[in-house]
Structure formats: structure tokens, C-alpha cells
Amino acid sequence: MAEAATVASKPNVDKRDAILAAALRLIARFGLHNAPMSAVAREAGVAVGTVYLYFPSKEAMINALYLHVLEDRNRSLYNGL
């Protein structure tokens, strides 16, 4: 029973990645200030509450997006070597 609670409390990486990808698309298309969390949620196909489950604020989401983009860039650079 305790293991089921542990599994349920782990964040879903796919949803987190979908939220970050949606945020990136919207920010690229409309700009940072014209990409509210509700639009990010809609674009990612999740509820707004789900976005706030992963990111407590828009600033936290943007910081995570920045790190995600840097990691992706670094991965691409190192794979090309």
C-alpha cells in the first residue's frame, strides 16, 4: 500500500515535458507576456491546476524551461562531437 502512494506522488515526466514544450511554442509565437499559464495548460492538454502542480509560478516554469533548453542544446552539441 505504501508503494502505491509513493508511485502516485512521483511527478509524471511526460506531462512536465509537454507543459514545457507548450510553453516554448507559445512564447516563441506570442511572447512571454502573452503566454499566460492558462494558455500553456490548454496547449499542453492539461488542466491549469496540473501546471501549478509542476510549477508553482510562471517564473518557476520559465526557469525550468530555460534549463531544459540549455540541456537540450548541450546534448545536441555533445552528440555532434
Side-chain angles (χ1 to χ4, degrees):
M1 184 79 172
E3 188 170 324
T6 304
V7 171
S9 66
K10 289 184 181 177
N12 185 336
V13 176
D14 292 335
K15 280 188 183 178
R16 184 179 187 277
D17 287 346
I19 293 166
L20 290 175
L24 184 59
R25 286 191 303 272
L26 289 176
I27 291 168
R29 195 175 318 143
F30 302 115
L32 180 61
H33 296 292
N34 293 321
M37 296 291 265
S38 58
V40 171
R42 195 174 323 111
E43 180 79 12
V46 298
V48 177
T50 302
V51 175
Y52 284 105
L53 179 67
Y54 291 96
F55 307 104
S57 66
K58 187 173 182 179
E59 181 180 359
M61 183 186 68
I62 297 303
N63 289 337
L65 179 59
Y66 174 73
L67 293 175
H68 183 76
V69 168
L70 281 180
E71 289 171 2
D72 190 44
R73 182 202 64 169
N74 289 340
R75 204 173 306 117
S76 296
L77 286 173
Y78 292 124
N79 284 341
L81 294 177

